[in-house]
Amino acid sequence: MEEHGFLEQIQESVLGFVRNEIFDPSAGIETDTHLIEAGLDSFSLLKILVFVEKTFDLRIPESEISEERMCSVGNISALIHELLEKK
Amino acid sequence: MNLYELFKDTASRYPEKTAVVEGNRSVSYRDLDAVISVLAKDLEKLGAAPGQMIGLCFANSIAYIALTYALWKIDAAVVPVDVDFTEDEIRQVCDRMQLAAMISHKGESGWVEARCPFIDTPYYFRSMDVYSGLESDIHIAFVRFTSGTTGERKGVVLSHERIAERISAVNRALNITPDDNILWILPMSHHFVSTIVLFLASGAALVLAGGIWSKSILKTVNSGHVTLLYASPFHYSLLAADQSGLMMPEVRLAISTAIGLPGHIHERFSGRFGLPLAQAYGIIEIGVVCINTENPGGKPGSVGRVLPDYRVSVENAQAYSGPEGMECGELFFSGPGFFDGYFYPRIDEKSALINGWFETGDIGGRDKEGFLFLYGRKNHVINTAGMKIFPQEIEAHLNRHPSVKESCVYGRKHDRFGQTVAAMVVLNSTAEETDEETLRRFCSRSFTAYKVPSQIFFTDHIEKTATGKIIRPGEQEG
């Protein structure tokens, strides 16, 4: 139960940032929205990586920065969760 | 001289050769010339005219290239506008650069919808009805808008002649031939006149990357028989971490630009692909003046020796200390193809240069063999992944927030992106509680994403000089 709650917290935080600060809030980004199709570019990716570093004290390694792992808030959150577990 | 004529000349020599590849579509030089020619006529019908400054807000595409050359064909000047600019920023470009019209990838009411011939890409055109054209004795091809607060110079003006001079100077290092296929990944709105114009004047093919992810880049590199990469350290760091095992057997040269190349990225990339990474040093005002194609492996971290057509001078050396045997100071350059001055306020080239020398504001060192190394900036311009940000512009905006008393914006060192934007903020004593996210969102409404501070710290005072000038923190470790 606790594990599930932690992932949800990560999702909430990432979703808030991506929905309001990367895209226009009116775009209505959800956890499963395909961010690359929605227009995620390299500067948006940069902002997300800096946000993750600051918020979770976590540097996502280059080997994990792929289309599959970064294509939605859900996937990014799962990646953060997985990397934090390993820490 | 006109850059379109330069392209047309190449197109007539290599009509069948591929000029640009975008996904599954490719256009030959002949076809691209046909697109440009029809587009030029269409744009004239829509109201574009010689001598006008026209904004171009488009993502990387064949259409971007065709629209730029079509505007040049009708002797209008191109002012690139970032696709993710906010409405405030677009308004600022239109006013300050006195745009007669704007061409965009998206339109609203009042915009005329049209389509690029043959490639069928839609675009939108809007006349501004305020400025019809410029009286200028310079044959302006391109103006790079630089935002900032009042008092800062805005708009780097480049004529057709100067762009032609600079591409010929840079080609002494790159030696581009019709056998080259170049992978293009950087935003065209920021990189065009020293690179794409050269590639298309040389009969090479541009292969547009479909994304920034290593897997798709490697697929494009191999399917497009790419011989030259031109990208930023971040792109190379993603490629270096690729685990697919795919190699890049046809690549003869990989160039890193936009920000300084961290040593570990160079090592990992070279280790993964067996290719050295040549670091380039370019500034919009003067072009690409250094590329370390000579000895990237033996002189890691160096941007190389100054290219043969340019001269470098290391000034005020007494104020800087550097490693043993290195002459350190402020870097000045002279040479061909420098800009024709600033647009607003209008400053001609003669006044913008000091006896023909351009002051870069960069602090660098030169070793005994003449290899240059960059150490930092003399002023406080922030460079985040190659995008230049004036801290005063962000401060002026933050200070307009009702809860903010004053602010100080500065660059924090970041190993991936060079620097990120940070801010220190003093709140009004009577202010309602305001948090970091609120202030960031306040900035997001007016600024494109890279200008929005990634970190905002609250403090109770900001250090100033005796005359009240903000003392910005030096580059801090992130």
Side-chain angles (χ1 to χ4, degrees), chain B residues 237-262:
Chain B
S237 72
L238 296 186
L239 280 170
D242 177 79
Q243 289 160 1
S244 70
L246 282 172
M247 297 301 279
M248 303 193 279
E250 292 172 84
V251 172
R252 67 172 176 91
L253 187 58
I255 293 168
S256 175
T257 187
I259 58 165
L261 173 65

PDB file of all heavy atoms in Angstrom, chain B residues 237-262:
ATOM      1  N   SER B 237      25.574  13.144 -25.490  1.00  0.00           N
ATOM      2  CA  SER B 237      25.546  12.347 -24.252  1.00  0.00           C
ATOM      3  C   SER B 237      24.506  11.241 -24.361  1.00  0.00           C
ATOM      4  O   SER B 237      24.717  10.124 -23.883  1.00  0.00           O
ATOM      5  CB  SER B 237      25.288  13.246 -23.037  1.00  0.00           C
ATOM      6  OG  SER B 237      23.950  13.688 -23.032  1.00  0.00           O
ATOM      7  N   LEU B 238      23.373  11.533 -25.020  1.00  0.00           N
ATOM      8  CA  LEU B 238      22.350  10.490 -25.205  1.00  0.00           C
ATOM      9  C   LEU B 238      22.856   9.406 -26.164  1.00  0.00           C
ATOM     10  O   LEU B 238      22.658   8.214 -25.927  1.00  0.00           O
ATOM     11  CB  LEU B 238      21.047  11.089 -25.739  1.00  0.00           C
ATOM     12  CG  LEU B 238      20.302  12.077 -24.836  1.00  0.00           C
ATOM     13  CD1 LEU B 238      18.959  12.451 -25.445  1.00  0.00           C
ATOM     14  CD2 LEU B 238      20.078  11.519 -23.438  1.00  0.00           C
ATOM     15  N   LEU B 239      23.538   9.837 -27.233  1.00  0.00           N
ATOM     16  CA  LEU B 239      24.079   8.857 -28.185  1.00  0.00           C
ATOM     17  C   LEU B 239      25.128   7.976 -27.500  1.00  0.00           C
ATOM     18  O   LEU B 239      25.168   6.768 -27.707  1.00  0.00           O
ATOM     19  CB  LEU B 239      24.722   9.581 -29.374  1.00  0.00           C
ATOM     20  CG  LEU B 239      23.763  10.078 -30.455  1.00  0.00           C
ATOM     21  CD1 LEU B 239      24.489  10.972 -31.445  1.00  0.00           C
ATOM     22  CD2 LEU B 239      23.109   8.912 -31.198  1.00  0.00           C
ATOM     23  N   ALA B 240      25.975   8.606 -26.668  1.00  0.00           N
ATOM     24  CA  ALA B 240      27.063   7.865 -26.013  1.00  0.00           C
ATOM     25  C   ALA B 240      26.511   6.777 -25.094  1.00  0.00           C
ATOM     26  O   ALA B 240      27.168   5.761 -24.855  1.00  0.00           O
ATOM     27  CB  ALA B 240      27.941   8.825 -25.229  1.00  0.00           C
ATOM     28  N   ALA B 241      25.291   6.993 -24.573  1.00  0.00           N
ATOM     29  CA  ALA B 241      24.711   6.021 -23.642  1.00  0.00           C
ATOM     30  C   ALA B 241      23.896   4.952 -24.368  1.00  0.00           C
ATOM     31  O   ALA B 241      23.323   4.062 -23.737  1.00  0.00           O
ATOM     32  CB  ALA B 241      23.823   6.755 -22.639  1.00  0.00           C
ATOM     33  N   ASP B 242      23.836   5.042 -25.684  1.00  0.00           N
ATOM     34  CA  ASP B 242      23.011   4.093 -26.434  1.00  0.00           C
ATOM     35  C   ASP B 242      23.528   2.658 -26.276  1.00  0.00           C
ATOM     36  O   ASP B 242      24.733   2.414 -26.284  1.00  0.00           O
ATOM     37  CB  ASP B 242      23.022   4.478 -27.920  1.00  0.00           C
ATOM     38  CG  ASP B 242      22.249   3.479 -28.744  1.00  0.00           C
ATOM     39  OD1 ASP B 242      21.018   3.558 -28.738  1.00  0.00           O
ATOM     40  OD2 ASP B 242      22.886   2.587 -29.361  1.00  0.00           O
ATOM     41  N   GLN B 243      22.581   1.747 -26.125  1.00  0.00           N
ATOM     42  CA  GLN B 243      22.988   0.362 -25.900  1.00  0.00           C
ATOM     43  C   GLN B 243      22.582  -0.559 -27.042  1.00  0.00           C
ATOM     44  O   GLN B 243      22.582  -1.773 -26.909  1.00  0.00           O
ATOM     45  CB  GLN B 243      22.394  -0.129 -24.577  1.00  0.00           C
ATOM     46  CG  GLN B 243      23.080   0.525 -23.402  1.00  0.00           C
ATOM     47  CD  GLN B 243      22.272   0.476 -22.125  1.00  0.00           C
ATOM     48  OE1 GLN B 243      21.174  -0.077 -22.104  1.00  0.00           O
ATOM     49  NE2 GLN B 243      22.809   1.060 -21.065  1.00  0.00           N
ATOM     50  N   SER B 244      22.197   0.034 -28.176  1.00  0.00           N
ATOM     51  CA  SER B 244      21.708  -0.822 -29.274  1.00  0.00           C
ATOM     52  C   SER B 244      22.851  -1.536 -29.994  1.00  0.00           C
ATOM     53  O   SER B 244      22.615  -2.496 -30.715  1.00  0.00           O
ATOM     54  CB  SER B 244      20.948   0.055 -30.292  1.00  0.00           C
ATOM     55  OG  SER B 244      21.866   0.887 -30.969  1.00  0.00           O
ATOM     56  N   GLY B 245      24.066  -1.060 -29.851  1.00  0.00           N
ATOM     57  CA  GLY B 245      25.182  -1.669 -30.566  1.00  0.00           C
ATOM     58  C   GLY B 245      25.344  -1.114 -31.979  1.00  0.00           C
ATOM     59  O   GLY B 245      26.319  -1.406 -32.662  1.00  0.00           O
ATOM     60  N   LEU B 246      24.360  -0.311 -32.430  1.00  0.00           N
ATOM     61  CA  LEU B 246      24.462   0.283 -33.775  1.00  0.00           C
ATOM     62  C   LEU B 246      25.644   1.233 -33.837  1.00  0.00           C
ATOM     63  O   LEU B 246      25.911   1.979 -32.894  1.00  0.00           O
ATOM     64  CB  LEU B 246      23.192   1.067 -34.109  1.00  0.00           C
ATOM     65  CG  LEU B 246      21.963   0.291 -34.524  1.00  0.00           C
ATOM     66  CD1 LEU B 246      20.754   1.230 -34.609  1.00  0.00           C
ATOM     67  CD2 LEU B 246      22.186  -0.391 -35.868  1.00  0.00           C
ATOM     68  N   MET B 247      26.372   1.205 -34.952  1.00  0.00           N
ATOM     69  CA  MET B 247      27.513   2.107 -35.112  1.00  0.00           C
ATOM     70  C   MET B 247      27.178   3.152 -36.179  1.00  0.00           C
ATOM     71  O   MET B 247      26.088   3.142 -36.755  1.00  0.00           O
ATOM     72  CB  MET B 247      28.767   1.318 -35.517  1.00  0.00           C
ATOM     73  CG  MET B 247      29.227   0.309 -34.482  1.00  0.00           C
ATOM     74  SD  MET B 247      29.612   1.043 -32.870  1.00  0.00           S
ATOM     75  CE  MET B 247      31.274   1.648 -33.186  1.00  0.00           C
ATOM     76  N   MET B 248      28.128   4.047 -36.435  1.00  0.00           N
ATOM     77  CA  MET B 248      27.912   5.078 -37.452  1.00  0.00           C
ATOM     78  C   MET B 248      29.083   5.016 -38.439  1.00  0.00           C
ATOM     79  O   MET B 248      29.946   5.887 -38.451  1.00  0.00           O
ATOM     80  CB  MET B 248      27.835   6.457 -36.786  1.00  0.00           C
ATOM     81  CG  MET B 248      26.747   6.545 -35.731  1.00  0.00           C
ATOM     82  SD  MET B 248      26.395   8.222 -35.192  1.00  0.00           S
ATOM     83  CE  MET B 248      27.720   8.470 -34.033  1.00  0.00           C
ATOM     84  N   PRO B 249      29.116   3.961 -39.255  1.00  0.00           N
ATOM     85  CA  PRO B 249      30.318   3.695 -40.055  1.00  0.00           C
ATOM     86  C   PRO B 249      30.648   4.761 -41.091  1.00  0.00           C
ATOM     87  O   PRO B 249      31.789   4.888 -41.497  1.00  0.00           O
ATOM     88  CB  PRO B 249      30.003   2.351 -40.728  1.00  0.00           C
ATOM     89  CG  PRO B 249      28.524   2.240 -40.695  1.00  0.00           C
ATOM     90  CD  PRO B 249      28.059   2.954 -39.465  1.00  0.00           C
ATOM     91  N   GLU B 250      29.632   5.523 -41.538  1.00  0.00           N
ATOM     92  CA  GLU B 250      29.924   6.472 -42.623  1.00  0.00           C
ATOM     93  C   GLU B 250      30.256   7.875 -42.133  1.00  0.00           C
ATOM     94  O   GLU B 250      30.583   8.755 -42.920  1.00  0.00           O
ATOM     95  CB  GLU B 250      28.738   6.508 -43.586  1.00  0.00           C
ATOM     96  CG  GLU B 250      28.589   5.195 -44.348  1.00  0.00           C
ATOM     97  CD  GLU B 250      27.300   5.136 -45.155  1.00  0.00           C
ATOM     98  OE1 GLU B 250      27.307   5.656 -46.282  1.00  0.00           O
ATOM     99  OE2 GLU B 250      26.303   4.588 -44.653  1.00  0.00           O
ATOM    100  N   VAL B 251      30.137   8.100 -40.815  1.00  0.00           N
ATOM    101  CA  VAL B 251      30.372   9.458 -40.287  1.00  0.00           C
ATOM    102  C   VAL B 251      31.861   9.780 -40.299  1.00  0.00           C
ATOM    103  O   VAL B 251      32.675   9.025 -39.782  1.00  0.00           O
ATOM    104  CB  VAL B 251      29.796   9.596 -38.858  1.00  0.00           C
ATOM    105  CG1 VAL B 251      30.205  10.925 -38.237  1.00  0.00           C
ATOM    106  CG2 VAL B 251      28.277   9.472 -38.887  1.00  0.00           C
ATOM    107  N   ARG B 252      32.232  10.909 -40.937  1.00  0.00           N
ATOM    108  CA  ARG B 252      33.636  11.302 -40.994  1.00  0.00           C
ATOM    109  C   ARG B 252      33.960  12.377 -39.963  1.00  0.00           C
ATOM    110  O   ARG B 252      35.111  12.577 -39.590  1.00  0.00           O
ATOM    111  CB  ARG B 252      34.013  11.799 -42.393  1.00  0.00           C
ATOM    112  CG  ARG B 252      33.352  13.111 -42.813  1.00  0.00           C
ATOM    113  CD  ARG B 252      33.927  13.645 -44.133  1.00  0.00           C
ATOM    114  NE  ARG B 252      33.237  14.854 -44.589  1.00  0.00           N
ATOM    115  CZ  ARG B 252      33.612  16.085 -44.281  1.00  0.00           C
ATOM    116  NH1 ARG B 252      34.654  16.291 -43.525  1.00  0.00           N
ATOM    117  NH2 ARG B 252      32.946  17.131 -44.742  1.00  0.00           N
ATOM    118  N   LEU B 253      32.914  13.087 -39.508  1.00  0.00           N
ATOM    119  CA  LEU B 253      33.158  14.194 -38.590  1.00  0.00           C
ATOM    120  C   LEU B 253      31.929  14.418 -37.705  1.00  0.00           C
ATOM    121  O   LEU B 253      30.808  14.450 -38.194  1.00  0.00           O
ATOM    122  CB  LEU B 253      33.440  15.457 -39.435  1.00  0.00           C
ATOM    123  CG  LEU B 253      33.894  16.733 -38.735  1.00  0.00           C
ATOM    124  CD1 LEU B 253      35.166  16.501 -37.935  1.00  0.00           C
ATOM    125  CD2 LEU B 253      34.133  17.830 -39.773  1.00  0.00           C
ATOM    126  N   ALA B 254      32.178  14.552 -36.394  1.00  0.00           N
ATOM    127  CA  ALA B 254      31.083  14.870 -35.464  1.00  0.00           C
ATOM    128  C   ALA B 254      31.460  16.168 -34.767  1.00  0.00           C
ATOM    129  O   ALA B 254      32.521  16.262 -34.150  1.00  0.00           O
ATOM    130  CB  ALA B 254      30.909  13.744 -34.445  1.00  0.00           C
ATOM    131  N   ILE B 255      30.590  17.167 -34.889  1.00  0.00           N
ATOM    132  CA  ILE B 255      30.898  18.484 -34.343  1.00  0.00           C
ATOM    133  C   ILE B 255      29.962  18.799 -33.191  1.00  0.00           C
ATOM    134  O   ILE B 255      28.753  18.603 -33.279  1.00  0.00           O
ATOM    135  CB  ILE B 255      30.767  19.555 -35.443  1.00  0.00           C
ATOM    136  CG1 ILE B 255      31.875  19.313 -36.463  1.00  0.00           C
ATOM    137  CG2 ILE B 255      30.890  20.970 -34.882  1.00  0.00           C
ATOM    138  CD1 ILE B 255      31.692  20.082 -37.719  1.00  0.00           C
ATOM    139  N   SER B 256      30.549  19.304 -32.113  1.00  0.00           N
ATOM    140  CA  SER B 256      29.766  19.670 -30.940  1.00  0.00           C
ATOM    141  C   SER B 256      29.727  21.186 -30.832  1.00  0.00           C
ATOM    142  O   SER B 256      30.755  21.851 -30.934  1.00  0.00           O
ATOM    143  CB  SER B 256      30.426  19.069 -29.695  1.00  0.00           C
ATOM    144  OG  SER B 256      29.746  19.511 -28.551  1.00  0.00           O
ATOM    145  N   THR B 257      28.531  21.717 -30.629  1.00  0.00           N
ATOM    146  CA  THR B 257      28.385  23.169 -30.602  1.00  0.00           C
ATOM    147  C   THR B 257      27.376  23.574 -29.524  1.00  0.00           C
ATOM    148  O   THR B 257      26.898  22.730 -28.791  1.00  0.00           O
ATOM    149  CB  THR B 257      27.958  23.667 -32.009  1.00  0.00           C
ATOM    150  OG1 THR B 257      27.980  25.093 -32.030  1.00  0.00           O
ATOM    151  CG2 THR B 257      26.568  23.191 -32.371  1.00  0.00           C
ATOM    152  N   ALA B 258      27.080  24.838 -29.425  1.00  0.00           N
ATOM    153  CA  ALA B 258      26.082  25.434 -28.511  1.00  0.00           C
ATOM    154  C   ALA B 258      26.624  25.719 -27.110  1.00  0.00           C
ATOM    155  O   ALA B 258      26.499  26.833 -26.626  1.00  0.00           O
ATOM    156  CB  ALA B 258      24.798  24.629 -28.438  1.00  0.00           C
ATOM    157  N   ILE B 259      27.173  24.705 -26.434  1.00  0.00           N
ATOM    158  CA  ILE B 259      27.799  24.962 -25.130  1.00  0.00           C
ATOM    159  C   ILE B 259      29.116  24.195 -25.090  1.00  0.00           C
ATOM    160  O   ILE B 259      29.356  23.341 -25.932  1.00  0.00           O
ATOM    161  CB  ILE B 259      26.916  24.518 -23.930  1.00  0.00           C
ATOM    162  CG1 ILE B 259      26.579  23.027 -24.020  1.00  0.00           C
ATOM    163  CG2 ILE B 259      25.668  25.349 -23.802  1.00  0.00           C
ATOM    164  CD1 ILE B 259      26.027  22.437 -22.732  1.00  0.00           C
ATOM    165  N   GLY B 260      29.944  24.505 -24.097  1.00  0.00           N
ATOM    166  CA  GLY B 260      31.228  23.815 -23.955  1.00  0.00           C
ATOM    167  C   GLY B 260      31.006  22.310 -23.836  1.00  0.00           C
ATOM    168  O   GLY B 260      30.021  21.849 -23.262  1.00  0.00           O
ATOM    169  N   LEU B 261      31.915  21.560 -24.409  1.00  0.00           N
ATOM    170  CA  LEU B 261      31.774  20.094 -24.407  1.00  0.00           C
ATOM    171  C   LEU B 261      32.446  19.518 -23.156  1.00  0.00           C
ATOM    172  O   LEU B 261      33.668  19.575 -23.035  1.00  0.00           O
ATOM    173  CB  LEU B 261      32.437  19.544 -25.673  1.00  0.00           C
ATOM    174  CG  LEU B 261      32.551  18.027 -25.792  1.00  0.00           C
ATOM    175  CD1 LEU B 261      31.174  17.396 -25.879  1.00  0.00           C
ATOM    176  CD2 LEU B 261      33.378  17.665 -27.020  1.00  0.00           C
ATOM    177  N   PRO B 262      31.675  18.968 -22.215  1.00  0.00           N
ATOM    178  CA  PRO B 262      32.303  18.369 -21.037  1.00  0.00           C
ATOM    179  C   PRO B 262      33.177  17.168 -21.421  1.00  0.00           C
ATOM    180  O   PRO B 262      32.803  16.373 -22.293  1.00  0.00           O
ATOM    181  CB  PRO B 262      31.109  17.921 -20.181  1.00  0.00           C
ATOM    182  CG  PRO B 262      29.947  18.721 -20.679  1.00  0.00           C
ATOM    183  CD  PRO B 262      30.207  18.905 -22.154  1.00  0.00           C
TER     184      PRO B 262
END
